[in-house]
Amino acid sequence: MFSYYLKNINSAFRLWLSAVLLTLPSLLFAQSEGGRCRVFGTVKDDAGTPIELASVRVKGQAALTVTNLKGEYSLYCSKADTVTVVFSMIGYETRKRFVRSPGDSVRIDVVLPPFGMQEFGEAVVKAQSLRLGSTERIAVPDTKLMPSTTGNAIEEIIATQAGVSTHNELSSQYNVRGGSFDENCVYINGVEVYRPMLVRSGQQEGLSIINPDMVESINFSSGGFEARYGDKMSSVLDITYKRPQEFEASVQASALGAGGYVGWGNKHVSLMASLRYKTTRYLLGTLDTDAEYRPNFIDGQAFFSWRPNKRWSLDVLGNISDNRYDFVPKERETKFGTMENAKSFKVYFDGKEQDAFRTLFGSATLTHHFNPETFLALQCSSFTTREEETYDISGEYWLEDAISADYFGVGTYMEHARNRLRANVFNTALKFRTRFKSHTLQAGVEWQRQSIKENAREWEMRDSMGYSLPYDEDVLSLIYSLRAKSDLSNNRWNAFAQDTWRFKTKAGLFNLTYGLRLTSWDWNKETLVSPRLSVGFLPAKAEKWTFRFATGFYYQAPFYKEIRDTTLFHGAATVNLNRNIKSQRSIHFVLGSDYTFRLFDRPFRFTVETYYKALSNLIPYTVDNVRVVYYGRNVGKGYAAGIDFKLFGEFVPGTDSWITFSLMRTKEKIDGVWIPRPTDQRYNVSLYFTDYFPGSTRWRFTLKAAFADGLPFGPPRSERSQQTLRAPAYKRVDVGMSYRLVKNEDRHIQHGFGKIFKNVWLGLDAFNLLGIKNVNSYYWVTDISNTQYAVPNYLTGLQINGRITMQF
């Protein structure tokens, strides 16, 4: 095991070294225009008390810092005719100061009044601060300039974070520290959101509900999160939408789709609306299967916020999506194996696949603000999905030696499915928060109603050398068949209470968050209590360091897919809903530290976190492309342990970049045998790097790279103990080059057509720049002697994409 890590760490180191060599010229030679200016001073509240950890940043630049225990700050920025310094802190009003023609240094002392004491000013994106809790605030990048294969830029940014990985560029799903796709909780404006359940492959997956144009802030936790967050075992993604204070709009288009966004607001009302269209037809043309691909995904979204006075506010969010995937395969040829054992797999197809996923989501939040620090909010949300997966596809295949042309297998197969699912999830919640002295108290109760109906029928017939499989001289049998008709209705109740206590001692600043979460489910009469605790520490004598520890119980209540108890007997599958199913449990132990420093006179942060998760009451599962198929029974226990590293900073002045490296191991024990879990990714390296041409703000370069260990797999519909083979490592590099055709942020263009634009960007992306053939899954060919051959299903190849973005 240790030798294996050394071998793969060596490969990861080579990728890391390549990234360093790529960025080194910019690190050494990139210079900012006009020199540097030091900005320093203090930040206090209206009572004269210093505010620690207040964010201080320079607008339009990457210069940012936070205040120390005495409310003092100091940062360096690029000189300009006018420098705008933004001061912000949660619970306080945001303040801006303008400095004209700054010298080598300037002192700015600022007073921040408590939030709500004055009218709203211009909305400002808050900068990232030091991390004392279990949730990390991620800076919102300019996603319009980033190469994106899915159109779901926020999830692609999350996939580059420490402890997070993905193995499919067609999907926005991600794994966190050994967890499955279903173990990640996602919130928008405090409301949990959901995704379709029948999606089998990345080709079928449409746009996620998160619209990057509408996002103000991103908070992410990869473990040890607070009690106010819901019942998932791996991670929390908490998205807050912005409330524009003036008119803004943008339009973008590329070979993969198009979209438009418009926002407007004032001190009482704000409104955002967007329409997006996505098609991956151009990208799917690089797959081995020659086919007529017709993927069409449409998403419309609107967010309305009204604050008539200081006491009341109303937020309404609506989303509708219509995702359709039509597929008419023609032929396929896949070559695989080694130089000494090369094989060729050819298939000629007949038939088609037609899938439709239609979802509706709506939420409304009515909030009463008793004072600037206390509010009570009533939330209601509804999610509805209508899903259909239908296909009739037959194929004639030849598996042969690519050198000698000897046949290993010749046969036919036919696949049929008529799968339909209807689901409705309704939530009502009451949430309360107040702050007094150094405590922030939060509490809430929630009721959820789930109604799900499924009618599924699918089967597969295989014929090898003229014999049907499984072979029986008396009976014609199918190799696999499933029939399921289920109707599920249930109720869930949740409640939580937590306190965040921030206090100072001579040793430094402490941030203590502790709480309880209570869940109850009438399906299996289960009631659970989850205690959670996190501690953050900022030493008084070493303010460049922060330390944190988090632990807690995390129960994942089964959703519909986990409840389906599927029994397979001689290829025939029967489905029953298991009323004795229990919630899976994960006990987290997370220890982490941040170290902030300056290199080449630019800010950097190095983060390390180690963790251990004790898993029990596990419901084993297999992964079919991106679909997670569960056993439907609690028959396992296991663990996940690892360590994550992240280096974040200005590798190039004015831009944010990061590189992450993770080691992880996760196993489960089933029937007394320890085996790797389907997400046992032992190492992972991710790089997100941005650059620009020195002396110019018109050219922008973005690079994303991933190098991740392959995941375990095995024959389809086999026991988990047989799924111990290992897929090849996932290696991919995407790059994007952008040119700013029109730059009019200061409105200096007053005449002609150009005056309506704020920015116009032209872009060119190279997806899978190195042309590496990554394996997504396997198609299994069985001959008459029951010998099985795993034929790799490769992902997309090298492809060029053009795009244009116009901001108004």
Side-chain angles (χ1 to χ4, degrees), residues 327-329 349-353 391-395 413-417:
F327 172 57
V328 183
F349 297 99
D350 189 21
K352 64 180 179 180
E353 176 180 353
Y391 55 81
D392 287 284
I393 296 177
S394 62
Y413 72 89
M414 178 176 289
E415 297 176 338
H416 165 91

Side-chain angles (χ1 to χ4, degrees), residues 615-681:
L615 310 174
S616 58
N617 288 336
L618 288 180
I619 306 172
Y621 62 87
T622 58
V623 180
D624 177 13
N625 201 309
V626 298
R627 178 183 290 182
V628 181
V629 182
Y630 291 90
Y631 271 36
R633 302 181 302 277
N634 304 95
V635 294
K637 67 177 183 179
Y639 70 88
I643 187 168
D644 299 326
F645 303 91
K646 179 180 180 181
L647 178 61
F648 173 91
E650 293 184 36
F651 291 85
V652 176
T655 64
D656 290 338
S657 303
W658 57 86
I659 184 170
T660 66
F661 175 59
S662 301
L663 295 173
M664 187 270 295
R665 192 73 200 226
T666 180
K667 287 188 173 184
E668 59 189 355
K669 188 176 183 180
I670 303 174
D671 296 329
V673 180
W674 284 98
I675 55 176
R677 304 195 76 202
T679 53
D680 181 39
Q681 179 183 277

Side-chain angles (χ1 to χ4, degrees), residues 19 21-31 145 602 649-657 688-703 736-739 761:
L21 292 176
L22 177 67
T23 61
L24 189 58
S26 296
L27 286 169
L28 295 178
F29 301 112
Q31 296 179 357
L145 308 182
R602 297 192 287 274
E650 293 184 36
F651 291 85
V652 176
T655 64
D656 290 338
S657 303
Y688 182 86
F689 174 74
T690 55
D691 195 0
Y692 60 85
F693 285 10
S696 172
T697 60
R698 289 189 177 272
W699 289 94
R700 192 70 173 263
F701 172 80
T702 305
L703 179 147
M737 181 67 74
S738 302
Y739 174 72
W761 289 91

Side-chain angles (χ1 to χ4, degrees), residues 566-761:
T566 305
T567 304
L568 191 65
F569 183 73
H570 293 309
T574 58
V575 177
N576 296 292
L577 301 184
N578 185 2
R579 281 195 173 271
N580 296 318
I581 198 80
K582 295 181 180 179
S583 297
Q584 301 179 90
R585 187 180 73 180
S586 177
I587 305 177
H588 292 195
F589 301 93
V590 183
L591 179 64
S593 178
D594 292 343
Y595 176 68
T596 58
F597 61 97
R598 299 190 68 84
L599 182 64
F600 303 108
D601 200 28
R602 297 192 287 274
F604 287 85
R605 182 177 71 246
F606 180 72
T607 300
V608 58
E609 280 195 349
T610 182
Y611 59 90
Y612 179 83
K613 298 194 288 189
L615 310 174
S616 58
N617 288 336
L618 288 180
I619 306 172
Y621 62 87
T622 58
V623 180
D624 177 13
N625 201 309
V626 298
R627 178 183 290 182
V628 181
V629 182
Y630 291 90
Y631 271 36
R633 302 181 302 277
N634 304 95
V635 294
K637 67 177 183 179
Y639 70 88
I643 187 168
D644 299 326
F645 303 91
K646 179 180 180 181
L647 178 61
F648 173 91
E650 293 184 36
F651 291 85
V652 176
T655 64
D656 290 338
S657 303
W658 57 86
I659 184 170
T660 66
F661 175 59
S662 301
L663 295 173
M664 187 270 295
R665 192 73 200 226
T666 180
K667 287 188 173 184
E668 59 189 355
K669 188 176 183 180
I670 303 174
D671 296 329
V673 180
W674 284 98
I675 55 176
R677 304 195 76 202
T679 53
D680 181 39
Q681 179 183 277
R682 295 168 292 190
Y683 63 87
N684 180 42
V685 179
S686 295
L687 171 67
Y688 182 86
F689 174 74
T690 55
D691 195 0
Y692 60 85
F693 285 10
S696 172
T697 60
R698 289 189 177 272
W699 289 94
R700 192 70 173 263
F701 172 80
T702 305
L703 179 147
K704 293 192 305 176
F707 178 35
D709 187 22
L711 299 177
F713 73 98
R717 296 177 287 276
S718 61
E719 295 295 327
R720 281 283 295 112
S721 58
Q722 300 179 34
Q723 301 192 2
T724 56
L725 302 174
R726 182 75 59 167
Y730 180 83
K731 293 164 283 189
R732 185 177 176 91
V733 176
D734 294 338
V735 297
M737 181 67 74
S738 302
Y739 174 72
R740 180 147 47 180
L741 184 65
V742 176
K743 181 183 179 182
N744 193 30
E745 294 177 335
D746 57 0
R747 301 302 183 192
H748 69 277
I749 302 177
Q750 299 293 331
H751 304 285
F753 185 67
K755 68 180 182 179
I756 68 173
F757 297 108
K758 180 179 180 181
N759 286 300
V760 176
W761 289 91

Side-chain angles (χ1 to χ4, degrees), residues 188-417:
I188 296 180
N189 294 344
V191 179
E192 186 175 0
V193 296
Y194 305 88
R195 59 185 177 88
M197 289 177 262
L198 288 185
V199 173
R200 185 188 302 268
S201 67
Q203 292 93 312
Q204 300 170 324
E205 193 173 305
L207 292 158
S208 85
I209 190 174
I210 303 173
N211 188 330
D213 290 330
M214 304 171 73
V215 172
E216 179 184 54
S217 66
I218 305 172
N219 289 284
F220 179 72
S221 175
S222 53
F225 39 90
E226 302 167 8
R228 64 191 175 103
Y229 291 121
D231 304 306
K232 300 289 186 180
M233 293 199 299
S234 289
S235 74
V236 166
L237 175 59
D238 190 358
I239 300 294
T240 301
Y241 275 0
K242 58 187 177 183
R243 295 168 173 81
Q245 300 295 299
E246 59 184 8
F247 176 80
E248 57 186 36
S250 65
V251 176
Q252 57 268 354
S254 75
L256 302 181
Y261 158 81
V262 61
W264 172 85
N266 54 37
K267 63 182 180 180
H268 293 299
V269 178
S270 64
L271 174 66
M272 295 188 295
S274 68
L275 181 65
R276 295 181 292 169
Y277 169 73
K278 168 187 169 182
T279 177
T280 52
R281 181 185 308 178
Y282 175 66
L283 198 60
L284 296 178
T286 63
L287 299 177
D288 283 347
T289 300
D290 180 21
E292 184 179 344
Y293 296 96
R294 293 194 297 269
N296 294 289
F297 312 116
I298 299 176
D299 170 276
Q301 195 164 162
F303 177 56
F304 170 76
S305 182
W306 178 41
R307 185 159 186 165
N309 53 53
K310 298 178 182 179
R311 297 297 183 187
W312 291 95
S313 64
L314 174 66
D315 297 328
V316 179
L317 174 65
N319 173 265
I320 180 172
S321 67
D322 187 1
N323 302 320
R324 298 176 183 270
Y325 175 73
D326 294 345
F327 172 57
V328 183
K330 298 178 181 178
E331 61 182 22
R332 163 184 173 173
E333 181 175 5
T334 300
K335 295 181 179 180
F336 63 102
T338 62
M339 292 292 292
E340 297 78 15
N341 188 23
K343 295 182 177 63
S344 176
F345 179 66
K346 297 180 181 179
V347 188
Y348 295 95
F349 297 99
D350 189 21
K352 64 180 179 180
E353 176 180 353
Q354 292 182 314
D355 306 321
F357 307 92
R358 306 176 186 89
T359 62
L360 294 171
F361 174 80
S363 70
T365 302
L366 179 64
T367 305
H368 180 65
H369 304 267
F370 296 94
N371 57 55
E373 305 294 345
T374 306
F375 72 78
L376 181 67
L378 174 64
Q379 290 181 337
C380 295
S381 67
S382 178
F383 170 78
T384 299
T385 180
R386 300 289 184 268
E387 305 175 25
E388 297 180 2
E389 181 186 42
T390 63
Y391 55 81
D392 287 284
I393 296 177
S394 62
E396 298 182 0
Y397 65 83
W398 288 261
L399 178 64
E400 62 181 10
D401 189 293
I403 300 175
S404 66
D406 294 334
Y407 288 111
F408 295 101
V410 176
T412 62
Y413 72 89
M414 178 176 289
E415 297 176 338
H416 165 91

Side-chain angles (χ1 to χ4, degrees), residues 387-451:
E387 305 175 25
E388 297 180 2
E389 181 186 42
T390 63
Y391 55 81
D392 287 284
I393 296 177
S394 62
E396 298 182 0
Y397 65 83
W398 288 261
L399 178 64
E400 62 181 10
D401 189 293
I403 300 175
S404 66
D406 294 334
Y407 288 111
F408 295 101
V410 176
T412 62
Y413 72 89
M414 178 176 289
E415 297 176 338
H416 165 91
R418 294 293 185 271
N419 299 329
R420 294 175 174 84
L421 184 140
R422 306 287 186 269
N424 296 279
V425 181
F426 179 78
N427 288 274
T428 299
L430 193 65
K431 296 183 178 180
F432 172 78
R433 191 186 76 178
T434 187
R435 180 177 178 181
F436 63 93
K437 296 184 179 179
S438 56
H439 292 266
T440 300
L441 298 178
Q442 298 184 69
V445 294
E446 179 185 16
W447 169 66
Q448 182 182 98
R449 174 71 177 177
Q450 298 177 358
S451 299

Side-chain angles (χ1 to χ4, degrees), residues 515-587:
L516 288 173
R517 187 172 185 87
L518 175 69
T519 61
S520 181
W521 189 26
D522 67 357
W523 175 260
N524 62 356
K525 312 302 181 184
E526 184 180 55
T527 301
L528 301 168
V529 178
S530 307
R532 301 176 188 179
L533 169 72
S534 66
V535 181
F537 174 54
L538 177 63
K541 296 184 179 180
E543 295 180 359
K544 293 184 177 180
W545 287 93
T546 59
F547 302 91
R548 57 188 173 274
F549 171 76
T551 186
F553 284 67
Y554 297 86
Y555 291 95
Q556 178 152 333
F559 205 64
Y560 177 70
K561 291 191 295 184
E562 293 98 312
I563 299 173
R564 295 172 84 248
D565 185 354
T566 305
T567 304
L568 191 65
F569 183 73
H570 293 309
T574 58
V575 177
N576 296 292
L577 301 184
N578 185 2
R579 281 195 173 271
N580 296 318
I581 198 80
K582 295 181 180 179
S583 297
Q584 301 179 90
R585 187 180 73 180
S586 177
I587 305 177

